[in-house]
Amino acid sequence: MYIPDIYKNESQEEIKNFIHDNGFAILVNQTNGKLWATHIPLLLEEDNDGKSILVGHISRENPQGESFKTNTNILVIFSGPHSYISSSWYDHENVPTWNYTAVHVYGKVKILNLEESINSLKNLVDKYERNSENPVRIEDLSKQTMRQARGIIAFEIEIISIDAVKKMSQNRDSKNYENIILELENTGNVIDKQVAQEMKKCPR
C-alpha cells in the first residue's frame, strides 16, 4: 500500500486497537489463478510464542480454502471510518480529497484442526456477544448444532508485515484542520462524525 510519510501510522498500540475495533476484514489471495476476496470477521490473538496472529474461518464450500493448501500468502485489509473532504471547507483554493484509515496485514495462512477451530469459534462469539443481554456461548450449543463446525475451514495467519495509514488532513494548518472537523460534524452523517472524532485524536 502506498503511504506518504505524513500519513503513516507506526504506533503498534494504535494498530492493535484499530484491528480490534474494525475486525470485519477482507481476506485476499490467489485462488484458481485469479485474485479472490472474502469478507469475514477476524480476531487478533497471540500464539504460544507470544507472536501476534489473526484467526478466522470461511465456509468449506469457499474455493479460497482449498487454495490455502498450495498458496499460503495472504493479504488482509481492515478499513475504518472514511469521508469526502470538500475543498470548499478551506480558506484557500485547493482540490477535494478523502480522509480515511486502513490497515493492511501481510502473512502466511495455516489451517487449524477441529479442536482449534472450535476454540476459535468460541473466542469469536465471546467477543461479539460480550454486550448481549442474553449472550450465546459455544459451550451451550447442542452437538447437533455444533456439527455445523465441520462445514468451515478455520485458520490462523502468521503476520509477516503491516502497513497502516491514517490520512486525516495532517497536511492542513490548524485553522483549516479545525474547520474540517466542524464541517464533518455538521453533515449529519454518522461516519463523517466518526472521522471528525478520529481527527480530534491526531496530535497537532
Side-chain angles (χ1 to χ4, degrees), residues 116-135:
E116 293 168 330
S117 300
I118 298 298
N119 189 58
S120 73
L121 288 174
K122 177 185 180 304
N123 291 341
L124 182 67
V125 170
D126 285 351
K127 175 184 176 180
Y128 289 104
E129 289 284 343
R130 187 172 296 131
N131 297 319
S132 297
E133 184 176 345
N134 299 297

Side-chain angles (χ1 to χ4, degrees), residues 90 92 94-95 169-174 176-177 180 204:
Y90 306 152
H92 59 280
N94 211 310
V95 294
S169 299
Q170 295 97 316
N171 59 333
R172 302 299 167 195
D173 60 48
S174 295
N176 285 284
Y177 192 86
I180 293 169
R204 297 293 295 163

Side-chain angles (χ1 to χ4, degrees), residues 46-77:
E46 288 187 355
D47 63 14
N48 294 331
D49 297 322
K51 295 180 180 178
S52 293
I53 57 172
L54 294 171
V55 181
H57 67 273
I58 59 176
S59 167
R60 194 167 291 277
E61 300 297 318
N62 187 334
Q64 195 171 33
E66 188 65 24
S67 73
F68 292 165
K69 299 175 183 178
T70 56
N71 179 16
T72 60
N73 293 315
I74 209 89
L75 165 64
V76 181
I77 302 172

Side-chain angles (χ1 to χ4, degrees), residues 47-186:
D47 63 14
N48 294 331
D49 297 322
K51 295 180 180 178
S52 293
I53 57 172
L54 294 171
V55 181
H57 67 273
I58 59 176
S59 167
R60 194 167 291 277
E61 300 297 318
N62 187 334
Q64 195 171 33
E66 188 65 24
S67 73
F68 292 165
K69 299 175 183 178
T70 56
N71 179 16
T72 60
N73 293 315
I74 209 89
L75 165 64
V76 181
I77 302 172
F78 297 91
S79 298
H82 59 89
S83 63
Y84 175 75
I85 306 299
S86 171
S87 56
S88 68
W89 301 344
Y90 306 152
D91 63 2
H92 59 280
E93 183 179 13
N94 211 310
V95 294
T97 188
W98 210 275
N99 278 3
Y100 67 99
T101 51
V103 169
H104 286 192
V105 177
Y106 304 86
K108 299 281 187 179
V109 67
K110 182 183 79 171
I111 296 174
L112 302 179
N113 61 37
L114 182 59
E115 181 181 351
E116 293 168 330
S117 300
I118 298 298
N119 189 58
S120 73
L121 288 174
K122 177 185 180 304
N123 291 341
L124 182 67
V125 170
D126 285 351
K127 175 184 176 180
Y128 289 104
E129 289 284 343
R130 187 172 296 131
N131 297 319
S132 297
E133 184 176 345
N134 299 297
V136 173
R137 297 174 71 246
I138 289 294
E139 300 93 322
D140 298 335
L141 298 178
S142 68
K143 289 183 179 181
Q144 181 178 356
T145 297
M146 288 307 299
R147 288 196 190 104
Q148 296 181 51
R150 297 185 181 277
I152 67 168
I153 296 175
F155 57 85
E156 67 179 40
I157 298 171
E158 175 192 0
I159 296 174
I160 305 300
S161 63
I162 296 178
D163 290 334
V165 58
K166 182 192 289 185
K167 183 180 178 295
M168 289 288 159
S169 299
Q170 295 97 316
N171 59 333
R172 302 299 167 195
D173 60 48
S174 295
K175 177 183 176 183
N176 285 284
Y177 192 86
E178 293 301 324
N179 197 57
I180 293 169
I181 293 175
L182 181 63
E183 293 286 353
L184 287 170
E185 290 178 331
N186 289 335

Side-chain angles (χ1 to χ4, degrees), residues 16-68:
K16 180 178 179 180
N17 290 335
F18 181 89
I19 292 174
H20 178 79
D21 294 339
N22 300 276
F24 194 69
I26 303 174
L27 187 74
V28 183
N29 77 341
Q30 283 275 353
T31 296
N32 296 332
K34 64 180 181 180
L35 288 174
W36 194 279
T38 301
H39 299 251
I40 54 169
L42 291 171
L43 291 182
L44 181 64
E45 299 182 348
E46 288 187 355
D47 63 14
N48 294 331
D49 297 322
K51 295 180 180 178
S52 293
I53 57 172
L54 294 171
V55 181
H57 67 273
I58 59 176
S59 167
R60 194 167 291 277
E61 300 297 318
N62 187 334
Q64 195 171 33
E66 188 65 24
S67 73
F68 292 165

